[in-house]
């Protein structure tokens, strides 16, 4: 075999010019990179051109490493460090001949070194760099102990993932490698177990987070994240590729965020999965949101809304027109509240259309439309089209800009009931937010019928509930006294957290004449608060405080989740002073 150099062969084949070779050699100086890698990075050639040219010139076989199954004994002939550094992989041993895949079969020094160290004759085959690297990760990736642990995982045969079938016979060799790696039975078992267990634990989200030396899996249960398990770093890519495959995401794209969806059936129950990937320092982070229609569609009467809020709320959304806004941070249950309202008002005499990003739960007898910003189908554009569909009730998933707010407000003035959400802290700040994004005050006062703000707080586990002494900080809030305080001690039923399940905390603002006059003038939020509280509005903190009085939740949970307004202290002190003066 003539010892030609790679540059010479590529020039002979007409793939690069002498000037390009000189440029590549100049770039290579001072860098620990192979010439072929530099030529590829400069864009003069691609990886497949190099492999095919070497195959032709050297009369060597081109192989896909993943078509082989090298034993542990064969892999031990070439240490992983050497395999990665030299881009080689031992494939099989027949007698005294070792088949060795190489990205650069012109690396004579490596061939001689491996032959000398193993005492074997080498049969060199050519493979692409990506193919070899992926195969190294696949074959060397995890220790036998790791794979033995994975093989012992339950099979979860009752779980079935549902996704659209995508076929592409033109996929690159490295893509085939990634598919094969992620389809290894232990990886399938692991991913299935993580998702199935999360469903059984009533988790709302699964976080798969790469760390420096391991992969951390966390579930969000009752609004709080909890460490569940950690796995070896070596199987990170295979796990993420498996998740991407079941959600039809691009497994070769690791540098940009992706969003996908899938579904699973478990014990005659269907659960929708929303998958989001995000590149991070130690690899891609994956978050899977679990949407169970049986728990997501809750009747309005079971949301935990107090009677003094529920009755006026029903009066608002049973009107033929107006705008009802549900506000709160992400994960506060706004969509669930809107779905509950839609379930309450749907009727064969009404045309109800929703605009959502994405559609979370499918509702019967209601037209649901998914927003797609990437093609310009925004909330504002979709809302314009929907208003030409003769709707009675329109649900807009979120008001994000002035156009959506203005179109929605004008629709509410022209005989439509508009339901939507806004990311604000409370009811009063929603009024300010609408004006800040460009809505005229007269539109706010004319269109908005009411605003309901909400949060979700955890309930004390009834299995381990115990009475505790009153917290020292409780007295400073100037609110009605609590006779007895409780907390959960922690047990198996609540994963030793002391909490089991969640309940909503609500605050309702109804538009009235005095409030309209105030909004049309220059006002402060304190003035708005005075006005709405005089009309009977109870703040979220007061609603949450009542849950402490009823023994439903803990003082610590309320303090950590619900904003406290100083105006409550002022009003409470003022009321006490008036009582004292009366005596």
């Amino acid at each position: 075999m003539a010892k030609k150099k790679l540059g010479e062969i590529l020039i002979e084949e007409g793939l690069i010019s002498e000037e390009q070779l000189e440029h590549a050699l100049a770039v290579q100086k001072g860098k620990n990179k192979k010439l072929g890698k530099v030529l590829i990075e400069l864009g003069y050639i691609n990886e497949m051109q190099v492999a095919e040219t070497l195959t032709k010139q050297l009369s060597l076989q081109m192989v896909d490493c993943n078509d082989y199954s090298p034993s542990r004994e064969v892999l031990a002939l070439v240490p992983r460090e050497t395999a990665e550094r030299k881009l080689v992989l031992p494939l099989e041993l027949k007698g005294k001949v070792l088949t060795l895949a190489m990205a650069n079969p012109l690396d004579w020094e490596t061939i001689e070194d491996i032959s000398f160290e193993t005492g074997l004759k080498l049969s060199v085959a050519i493979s692409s760099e990506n193919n070899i690297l992926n195969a190294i990760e696949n074959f060397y990736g995890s220790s036998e102990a790791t794979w033995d642990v994975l093989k012992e995982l339950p099979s979860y045969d009752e779980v079935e993932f549902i996704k659209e079938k995508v076929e592409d016979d033109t996929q690159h060799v490295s893509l085939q490698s990634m598919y094969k790696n992620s389809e290894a039975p232990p990886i399938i078992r692991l991913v299935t177990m993580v998702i199935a267990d999360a469903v059984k634990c009533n988790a709302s989200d699964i976080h798969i987070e790469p760390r420096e030396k391991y992969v951390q899996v966390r579930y969000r249960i009752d609004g709080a994240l909890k460490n569940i398990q950690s796995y070896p770093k070596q199987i990170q890519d295979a796990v993420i590729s498996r998740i991407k495959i079941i959600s039809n995401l691009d497994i070769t794209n690791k540098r940009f965020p992706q969003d996908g969806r899938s579904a699973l059936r478990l014990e005659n129950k269907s659960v929708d999965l929303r998958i989001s990937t995000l590149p991070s320092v130690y690899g891609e982070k994956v978050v899977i949101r679990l949407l169970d229609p049986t728990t997501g569609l809750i009747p309005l009467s079971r949301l935990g809304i107090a009677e003094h809020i529920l009755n006026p709320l029903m009066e608002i959304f049973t009107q033929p027109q107006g705008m009802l806004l549900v506000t709160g941070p992400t994960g506060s249950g706004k969509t669930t509240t809107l779905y509950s309202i839609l379930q309450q008002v749907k009727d064969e005499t009404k045309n109800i259309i929703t605009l959502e990003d994405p559609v979370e739960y499918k509702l019967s007898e209601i037209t649901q439309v998914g927003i797609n910003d990437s093609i310009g189908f925004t909330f504002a554009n979709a809302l314009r089209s929907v208003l030409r569909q003769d709707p009675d009730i329109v649900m807009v998933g979120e008001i994000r800009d002035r156009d959506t707010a203005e179109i929605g407000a004008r629709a509410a003035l022209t005989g439509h009931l508009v339901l939507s959400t806004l990311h604000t802290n409370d009811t009063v700040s929603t009024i300010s937010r609408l004006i800040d994004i460009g809505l005229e005050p007269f539109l706010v006062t004319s269109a908005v019928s009411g605003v309901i703000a909400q949060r979700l707080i955890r309930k004390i586990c009834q299995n381990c509930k115990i009475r505790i002494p009153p917290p020292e900080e409780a007295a400073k809030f100037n609110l009605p006294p609590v006779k007895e305080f409780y907390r959960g001690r922690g047990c198996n039923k609540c994963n030793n957290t002391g909490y089991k399940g969640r309940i909503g905390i609500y605050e309702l603002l109804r538009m009235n004449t005095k409030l309209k006059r105030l909004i049309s003038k220059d006002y402060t939020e304190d003035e708005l608060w005075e006005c709405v509280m005089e009309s009977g509005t109870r703040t979220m903190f007061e609603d949450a405080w009542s849950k402490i009085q009823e023994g439903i939740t803990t003082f610590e949970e309320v303090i950590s989740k619900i904003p406290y307004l100083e105006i409550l202290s002022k009003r409470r002190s003022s009321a006490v002073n008036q009582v004292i003066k009366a005596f």
Side-chain angles (χ1 to χ4, degrees), residues 455-458 499 541 554-563:
R455 296 289 192 281
L456 292 174
I457 59 172
R458 293 179 292 175
Y499 297 97
F541 197 90
T554 64
F555 174 78
E556 293 76 15
E557 180 72 359
V558 170
I559 297 304
S560 64
K561 300 286 178 64
I562 311 300

Side-chain angles (χ1 to χ4, degrees), residues 101-164:
M102 301 185 70
N104 179 17
L106 299 174
D107 187 355
W108 311 109
E109 182 181 351
T110 297
I111 293 173
E112 291 170 359
D113 287 345
I114 293 176
S115 179
F116 175 77
E117 290 171 5
T118 61
L120 300 170
K121 183 179 179 181
L122 299 188
S123 173
V124 175
I126 298 176
S127 186
S128 68
E129 179 177 330
N130 280 339
N131 183 244
I132 290 176
L133 288 173
N134 282 321
I136 288 172
E137 185 64 34
N138 188 12
F139 299 139
Y140 288 94
S142 301
S143 66
E144 284 191 30
T146 298
W147 286 102
D148 288 344
V149 169
L150 293 178
K151 288 175 183 176
E152 292 174 2
L153 294 175
S155 62
Y156 285 89
D157 294 330
E158 73 276 17
V159 175
E160 177 188 0
F161 287 101
I162 308 158
K163 70 182 185 71
E164 295 179 3

Side-chain angles (χ1 to χ4, degrees), residues 1 6 9-10 13 15 46-64 100-106 108 124-129 132 173:
M1 187 183 293
L6 178 62
I9 293 176
L10 294 174
E13 287 294 313
L15 293 175
N46 60 47
E47 194 175 272
M48 291 306 296
Q49 286 176 315
V50 173
E52 289 169 358
T53 299
L54 292 174
T55 299
K56 177 182 175 183
Q57 281 277 336
L58 304 177
S59 299
L60 296 176
Q61 180 186 6
M62 185 170 180
V63 298
D64 177 358
L100 186 72
M102 301 185 70
N104 179 17
L106 299 174
W108 311 109
V124 175
I126 298 176
S127 186
S128 68
E129 179 177 330
I132 290 176
V173 173

